[in-house]
Amino acid sequence: MERAPLLNFIGWWGIGTALSWAFVRLAPDLRRPTSGLHPGQVYLAELLFLPGGLLLFGQPVAAGVTLVAMALVLSQTRRAV
């Protein structure tokens, strides 16, 4: 495995984590949904968005893996609730 993609992933994960932490600290009301959408509905939209984007970039295997992984997470969260 090349180091660049791994370092890229780690870097973006760190930035996303830091931004999420900062937003929660600066505006705690952001945690409360105001749109009336359930977080599961947003996740379902993301479930289709990410694999679709990967397909547009010519990555069908990555799109399939992403779709399956996200569907597994969704099924596990529905069982837990």
Side-chain angles (χ1 to χ4, degrees), residues 43 47 65-78:
Y43 189 86
L47 179 75
V65 169
T66 301
L67 183 64
V68 169
M70 291 181 76
L72 286 172
V73 169
L74 183 64
S75 70
Q76 294 302 312
T77 57
R78 287 190 174 210

Side-chain angles (χ1 to χ4, degrees), residues 30 32-39 41-42:
L30 287 177
R32 295 188 198 111
T34 57
S35 65
L37 291 175
H38 186 273
Q41 293 170 311
V42 176

